[in-house]
Structures are given as structure tokens and as C-alpha cells.
């Protein structure tokens, strides 16, 4: 009997410790719309979040078709993040299909957006992440949302956000050192679609593209002919295609203009773990290095 009492009395403090452990010991279930955003959420959330990306590695967020598994993941999410500005046109349908009761956090809120023309209409360019200056706004919005969902770990989210913001400042400085030394007339390249507007604005680089804002748009024969003339007239020397969409059109334009291949860029999607761009930090640096090398070669 005494030994039973001893065992019980020894077990009570252990049970008290377990019951005193914060509920946040369970990881927060988080869904992000696409891989670039998912990685930034991971950087801020650290070990306290389990992040699922709806669009997978090398996937196109414009043409994404959600599956029943995506609906299930969304339904189970405690916090959901989207970039916004019209990027995730499929999200409302997925929310309805999944029965998700929450409201997604739009991380691009507060960014100084740019407008662009698409089929004669002025629209907001959603590709905000191609400037690390904008991603700093994402980080602040992500930190706020995670701290609200899990106040116990707010200090960890704050520390992670501050650390990652410093990384973003370093990435911005790195890009400026690469491009600022190049002559303005060399900072021109041909890409698949118009996804580098914020990059171009920050580093004074001109991107010419046969497709507009979305990879779903169609380039008319007249638009392509006009672009070919522009590339010849402005002496654009390098072209790039993107990991998440069809390179045939950009190759056709390049062939007609004599532009040389500069390689593949990661614009709307990270690579898989074995590729050159498995995180946002690596993706941005990789793109900067590819673009700067092609421009320097043509000067």
C-alpha cells in the first residue's frame, strides 16, 4: 500500500507539469496559398507552425486547380495566408468547397502596389514578392496574425520576424550592389510574362514579356510582332523562361530577335528541395545572379 502511495505522490508533480504546459506546444496548423508565401510563413513561425502550401513546388498560382486534398487541408487550418491583389482567383471557390469557416489573412495589405495594363484595363500587379522590400510588409502581417492565433508564442514570432527582416534587408542590398553598377541601357531582359514589375521598380530593370500579368492570358500575333520590334529597337540581348510556365512563346520571340538564353528564373514558385531555389532567400539571390550575369555579359 505504502509503495502505491509513493508512486502516486511521485506521479502527481509530473502530471502537474504536463497540465501546466501551454497548449501552444501543439504546432499551429497553417495553410499558405503558394510556396513562396509558405516559406516566409515558416521563417516567421519557426518550430511553432506546421505550414502546408496549396500550390506545390514549380506550380503556377494563376492556373492552379485545387484538389479534394487541398480542401481537406484548408478545412483543418487554424490560420490561412494569401498574398492577395487578385493572385489567388481560385481561393473563394476552394473556401466554399472546403467548408472553411475562417477568413484568410491577406499579407500584401499595406504594400505600395503598382498598376499595369491588362487587355486595356488597369489592374493591380500581384507579384509583390519579387522585391524583398515588399516581403518585409508580408513579415509584419504574418507575425501579427500568428501572434493573434497563438499569443503564448508571440515573443518567438517577434524574434523570428526581426531576424528575417534583417535577411530581407541584406537581400535588397545584395541586389543593389549587382545592378547599380550596370549601365541603364543594359538593364533590359525578355521574360515569359509580366511578373517582375516590383523587381524592375526597385532595381531599375526593364522586363519585356509577350504575356501580361497572368500566364492564363493569350498573346495576340500583333502583340508578339510589336514586342519583337521593341526588342530589336532596344537591343535586348538576353531572354529568360520561368520554372512554372511554358517557355515556347518566349523562345519564339527570342529566335526572331537574336536574344541569347540567360537561363531559368523562379518567379512565382520555389523549386523542390533539390533545385536551386528551395527557399525565398535562395530564389531571390538565384534570380539576381542569373539576371546580373546576363546583363553584364551583354554590356
Amino acid at each position: 500500500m505504502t509503495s502505491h502511495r509513493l508512486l502516486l505522490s511521485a506521479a502527481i508533480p509530473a502530471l502537474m507539469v504536463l497540465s501546466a504546459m501551454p497548449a501552444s506546444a501543439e504546432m499551429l496548423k497553417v495553410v499558405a496559398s503558394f510556396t513562396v508565401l509558405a516559406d516566409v510563413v515558416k521563417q516567421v513561425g519557426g518550430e511553432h507552425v506546421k505550414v502546408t502550401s496549396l500550390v506545390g513546388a514549380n506550380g503556377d498560382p494563376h492556373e492552379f486547380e485545387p484538389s479534394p486534398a487541398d480542401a481537406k487541408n484548408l478545412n483543418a487550418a487554424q490560420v490561412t495566408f494569401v498574398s492577395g491583389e487578385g493572385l489567388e482567383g481560385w481561393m473563394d471557390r476552394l473556401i466554399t468547397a472546403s467548408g472553411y469557416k475562417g477568413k484568410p489573412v491577406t499579407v500584401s495589405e499595406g504594400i505600395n502596389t503598382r498598376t499595369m495594363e491588362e487587355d486595356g484595363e488597369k489592374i493591380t500587379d500581384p507579384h509583390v514578392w519579387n522585391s524583398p522590400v515588399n516581403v518585409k510588409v508580408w513579415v509584419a502581417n504574418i507575425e501579427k496574425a500568428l501572434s493573434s492565433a497563438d499569443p503564448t508564442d508571440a515573443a518567438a514570432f517577434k524574434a523570428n520576424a526581426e531576424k528575417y527582416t534583417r535577411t530581407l534587408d541584406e537581400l535588397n542590398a545584395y541586389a543593389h550592389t549587382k545592378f547599380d553598377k550596370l549601365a541603364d541601357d543594359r538593364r533590359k531582359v525578355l521574360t515569359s510574362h509580366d511578373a517582375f514589375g516590383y523587381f524592375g521598380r526597385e532595381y531599375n530593370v526593364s522586363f519585356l514579356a509577350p504575356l501580361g500579368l497572368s500566364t492564363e492570358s493569350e498573346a495576340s500575333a500583333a502583340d508578339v510582332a510589336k514586342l519583337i520590334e521593341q526588342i530589336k529597337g532596344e537591343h535586348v540581348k538576353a531572354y529568360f523562361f520561368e520554372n512554372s510556365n511554358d517557355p515556347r512563346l518566349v523562345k519564339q520571340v527570342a529566335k526572331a530577335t537574336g536574344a541569347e538564353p540567360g537561363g531559368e528564373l523562379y518567379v512565382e514558385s520555389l523549386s523542390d528541395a533539390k533545385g536551386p531555389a528551395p527557399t525565398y532567400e535562395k530564389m531571390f539571390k538565384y534570380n539576381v545572379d542569373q539576371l546580373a550575369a546576363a546583363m553584364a555579359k551583354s554590356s
Side-chain angles (χ1 to χ4, degrees):
M1 188 74 176
T2 312
S3 63
H4 281 310
R5 278 206 189 106
L6 281 170
L7 282 169
L8 191 60
S9 62
I12 286 168
L15 285 167
M16 285 170 72
V17 169
L18 282 171
S19 63
M21 282 178 77
S24 65
E26 279 187 32
M27 291 169 93
L28 207 60
K29 283 182 187 164
V30 177
V31 159
S33 54
F34 69 124
T35 52
V36 178
L37 177 53
D39 179 63
V40 179
V41 173
K42 279 177 199 165
Q43 303 301 328
V44 179
E47 64 188 7
H48 304 289
V49 298
K50 183 180 188 302
V51 186
T52 301
S53 178
L54 294 172
V55 183
N58 299 307
D60 182 343
H62 295 290
E63 297 189 327
F64 178 62
E65 291 292 338
S67 69
D70 297 316
K72 192 178 172 186
N73 283 327
L74 182 61
N75 185 270
Q78 290 162 281
V79 190
T80 299
F81 292 102
V82 293
S83 182
E85 307 301 350
L87 180 75
E88 300 96 346
W90 38 266
M91 195 68 187
D92 287 345
R93 294 195 312 274
L94 180 58
I95 287 170
T96 304
S98 69
Y100 178 65
K101 295 290 184 278
K103 186 175 185 291
V105 177
T106 303
V107 295
S108 297
E109 241 166 55
I111 285 173
N112 174 22
T113 54
R114 65 185 283 275
T115 54
M116 57 192 294
E117 284 233 350
E118 178 85 354
D119 298 327
E121 280 180 47
K122 278 206 165 172
I123 50 168
T124 302
D125 181 356
H127 304 92
V128 295
W129 58 89
N130 283 315
S131 163
V133 176
N134 292 339
V135 179
K136 286 164 67 172
V137 177
W138 273 17
V139 167
N141 289 330
I142 291 164
E143 184 210 331
K144 190 177 167 189
L146 292 179
S147 297
S148 174
D150 176 12
T152 315
D153 292 314
F157 299 142
K158 187 173 189 289
N160 291 344
E162 285 172 354
K163 184 183 175 190
Y164 195 60
T165 297
R166 288 193 294 273
T167 298
L168 294 169
D169 283 334
E170 286 162 12
L171 286 176
N172 185 40
Y174 178 77
H176 274 292
T177 61
K178 290 280 189 177
F179 295 117
D180 292 357
K181 62 189 177 189
L182 295 171
D184 286 357
D185 66 342
R186 292 292 126 208
R187 296 188 214 179
K188 292 174 186 174
V189 289
L190 167 67
T191 56
S192 304
H193 84 291
D194 203 349
F196 273 103
Y198 294 97
F199 189 107
R201 182 172 77 179
E202 185 62 41
Y203 308 112
N204 191 24
V205 175
S206 294
F207 291 89
L208 304 163
L211 296 180
L213 157 88
S214 168
T215 50
E216 293 178 297
S217 61
E218 293 285 330
S220 70
D223 287 341
V224 173
K226 192 174 159 191
L227 181 66
I228 287 167
E229 285 311 305
Q230 188 185 357
I231 288 165
K232 284 178 177 174
E234 295 185 26
H235 309 290
V236 177
K237 299 285 198 302
Y239 77 89
F240 291 86
F241 53 94
E242 298 164 27
N243 70 313
S244 55
N245 53 60
D246 193 333
R248 283 177 296 183
L249 185 55
V250 75
K251 284 182 174 176
Q252 177 195 329
V253 173
K255 192 176 176 185
T257 59
E260 292 292 322
E264 184 176 49
L265 299 177
Y266 288 80
V267 185
E268 299 176 323
S269 170
L270 301 181
S271 67
D272 57 27
K274 290 177 183 171
T279 65
Y280 174 75
E281 183 182 354
K282 286 184 176 173
M283 170 185 124
F284 183 78
K285 254 190 163 170
Y286 179 81
N287 288 342
V288 166
D289 289 346
Q290 294 275 93
L291 288 162
M295 290 175 201
K297 198 169 141 188
S298 67
S299 57

